Amino acid sequence: AQSVAQPEDQVNVAEGNPLTVKCTYSVSGNPYLFWYVQYPNRGLQFLLKYITGDNLVKGSYGFEAEFNKSQTSFHLKKPSALVSDSALYFCAVGNFNKFYFGSGTKLNVKP
Amino acid sequence: GAGVSQSPSNKVTEKGKDVELRCDPISGHTALYWYRQRLGQGLEFLIYFQGNSAPDKSGLPSDRFSAERTGESVSTLTIQRTQQEDSAVYLCASSSTRELFFGEGSRLTVL
């Protein structure tokens, strides 16, 4: 079965510290990989995607993600967290126009 | 418009009533998706439309749920004889380039 796992329900980090939000997947073929962010009572906003090429992709608001094919992972990272980064983050994996979403990770950045 | 538009943004209904949720995709986007997001949970795929092809209905949870799309324009998601477990945010997304653009969602509360 196709699946996307975000093993941490919640990640807590102090402002200014680096952050990592983890994502692993089990989807056949060579899927496309995405990160979305959801602020309270809002829809999902696109952050970044990996289709092909360089394993490190850069996206909006200073976020980046590293694709690791052997580990089937696509962890989201940011060198220095901001309080305004606090939100719900979803990893998504797309294949043949089907998109599989992780359960989401709540990021809390404390001042 | 510039983004995906959903209406109503909020709907409160009584158990047993029918509801219709509307989605206006981004102009030119051939693909349209409906997802359900229960409180504190991830995204649950409901249905996918691609151009004039037969829709992928594999995610619809019961025959009380149906959706239509006219060509590459507006889609409506209909829930008949609503139940309390239908309470959720219903998210619509459209796509043209392997990236989903989400609306703000329709929050359904079934009393």
Side-chain angles (χ1 to χ4, degrees), chain B residues 49-95:
Chain B
F49 296 90
Q50 174 64 55
N52 293 316
S53 303
D56 177 350
K57 304 180 181 180
S58 60
L60 294 178
S62 78
D63 59 8
R64 296 186 296 105
F65 287 73
S66 63
E68 293 183 347
R69 187 184 187 195
T70 305
E72 295 182 357
S73 61
V74 170
S75 174
T76 55
L77 176 68
T78 301
I79 309 173
Q80 296 178 310
R81 305 181 302 282
T82 52
Q83 303 295 313
Q84 288 183 333
E85 64 262 27
D86 300 335
S87 295
V89 175
Y90 290 82
L91 291 165
C92 175
S94 69
S95 174

Side-chain angles (χ1 to χ4, degrees), chain A residues 32 34 36 38 41-44 46 49 51 88 90 96-104, chain B residues 33 35 37 41-43 45 48 50 56 58 91 95 97-104 107:
Chain A
Y32 340 124
F34 303 84
Y36 287 85
Q38 186 179 34
N41 300 313
R42 302 294 298 275
L44 275 69
F46 169 79
K49 67 182 175 186
I51 304 296
L88 188 58
F90 288 96
F96 302 111
N97 291 319
K98 277 210 159 182
F99 291 81
Y100 304 92
F101 281 81
S103 54
Chain B
Y33 301 76
Y35 289 88
Q37 185 178 25
Q41 298 190 18
L43 274 68
F45 167 76
Y48 157 62
Q50 174 64 55
D56 177 350
S58 60
L91 291 165
S95 174
T97 56
R98 303 176 181 173
E99 176 186 324
L100 293 179
F101 293 84
F102 282 86
E104 298 283 306
R107 181 178 298 277

